[in-house]
Every structure is written in structure tokens, then in C-alpha cells.
Amino acid sequence: MTDQHPTADQPDGDEAMVGSEEFEPTTAEAALEAEQAAVAGQAPAGEAPAAGEAAPSGGAHPDTALAAERLSDLQRLQAEYVNYKRRVDRDRAVVQERAAQSVIEALLPVLDDIHAAREHGDLEGGPFASIADKLETTLGKFGLQRYGAAGEEFDPNLHEALMHTAWPQDGSVASSGSTTVVQVLQPGYRAGEQVLRAARVAVADPE
């Protein structure tokens, strides 16, 4: 039986195993190398990005972008508050105007009596004359105006025609080419541009 000895070209099993261990690192060593490679690949803090690496969007610092966003929110809130204040002030003025008009409308019968008494001369020299004047002056501060007179052109927005009649023969109202107020039966009242009650009149049509 011939003994087979390993030749010089064929290393024995122990030498082959040793050689294999020299070229194949262990799992722990591989993990350590991978971790070192990862650390080496991270750029130090504050270092500019490498060539080809994307810079932050717009080149702005995150704190700057956050400050701009907060400023925009404050400006929007301020604009909303200004609009809200204007709306509240406008609504308050409307409410006050309507309240004043309601009071004046409730006093219209009293004003009619005062006007009729003045037309008939019942207020001249009487103690109630000064009271009536003060009342009308006070209501005038809220924009109250009495209107309606013979000779005015009839306006359906301002006048309420209760009757049609002939032109006065005494010449108190000159004939015109349009429907004209010839007699005021009850004066009208308005506060500013708001008509509280239309003037009730008698009108004459063009001849």
C-alpha cells in the first residue's frame, strides 16, 4: 500500500483552514468595519455639503423659514381683526340709527299734532310752544326732517297721492307739465335718506 503524502502544491487540511480564516473576516469584524465606514461617510457638523449633494431648499435656514411663517400668520390675524372691528363698528352704527328711527316713528303722531297746532296758530304765545320747539330741535339732531309742500313735483318715492283734484283757481300753484302736489294733507318725515313716512298729498295732473 502506497502512502500518499501531500505534495507541495496541495496544502494539508490545517494549512488550508488557516488560509481560509485569513481571507474571510469574522462577523464581528465585518460589522465593525461597516460601522467605521458609515461614520467616515458622515460629514462633520457645519461642513458644507459635498459636490453633487442637494442643499436645503432655497438655501434658507430652518429657523428663518419658521420665523417667516409665524410673521405671515400674525399679519393674517391682524388683517382679520381689522376687518372684524370695521364690521362691528358698522353694525353698531346701523343699530343705533335704527333705534333712533324707531323712537321717531313712535313720536310721529305727536309731531303731527304739533304741526297742526302751529298751522292753526294754537301755539302762538302759549306755554307749550317752547316745549314743542325743543322737541323738534332735539329730534332734528338725529336727522329728522319734515317735508312736503304745495307746488312740488309729485314723486312716488316721497309722496303718497290720496286724491286727484283740479288746479287751484287762486293761482297758489302754477300749472306745469307734470303731476304736481297742490295740497299737503299730512306732511312727510325722513331721517337722512330714509323716508319714515311719505307725505300724503292731493295732486293735479297736467292740463
Side-chain angles (χ1 to χ4, degrees):
M1 184 175 182
T2 305
D3 294 334
Q4 297 180 355
H5 296 283
T7 62
D9 297 332
Q10 296 180 353
D12 57 12
D14 294 338
E15 293 179 354
M17 184 176 300
V18 171
S20 176
E21 292 179 355
E22 290 178 354
F23 293 98
E24 295 181 4
T26 62
T27 305
E29 292 175 344
L32 179 59
E33 292 177 357
E35 182 178 357
Q36 292 176 349
V39 171
Q42 296 178 354
E47 183 177 340
E53 184 176 338
S57 178
H61 194 277
D63 292 342
T64 304
L66 181 60
E69 182 180 356
R70 294 293 181 266
L71 178 60
S72 177
D73 293 340
L74 289 175
Q75 291 174 342
R76 176 176 54 80
L77 290 175
Q78 183 180 12
E80 291 178 355
Y81 173 75
V82 171
N83 292 333
Y84 168 78
K85 189 175 183 301
R86 289 177 179 173
R87 184 169 62 254
V88 169
D89 293 341
R90 183 178 63 251
D91 293 344
R92 182 185 298 112
V94 171
V95 170
Q96 292 176 348
E97 182 179 355
R98 289 179 178 175
Q101 291 177 0
S102 299
V103 173
I104 294 173
E105 289 175 352
L107 292 174
L108 289 183
V110 177
L111 296 175
D112 287 335
D113 292 340
I114 293 174
H115 178 68
R118 184 178 286 109
E119 290 290 318
H120 290 85
D122 296 339
L123 294 181
E124 295 180 2
F128 188 67
S130 61
I131 298 176
D133 292 339
K134 289 179 181 179
L135 176 61
E136 291 178 336
T137 301
T138 301
L139 295 178
K141 294 178 180 179
F142 293 93
L144 178 66
Q145 295 177 344
R146 181 189 297 113
Y147 71 92
E152 293 178 349
E153 182 179 354
F154 175 74
D155 185 348
N157 296 318
L158 301 175
H159 306 107
E160 180 182 356
L162 298 183
M163 57 184 296
H164 283 74
T165 187
W167 291 93
Q169 298 300 317
D170 58 1
S172 58
V173 179
S175 178
S176 65
S178 61
T179 302
T180 304
V181 175
V182 295
Q183 184 181 0
V184 178
L185 305 176
Q186 197 173 39
Y189 290 94
R190 60 188 172 191
E193 299 298 328
Q194 180 67 32
V195 175
L196 303 179
R197 189 186 70 191
R200 295 168 180 172
V201 300
V203 298
D205 293 327
E207 294 181 346

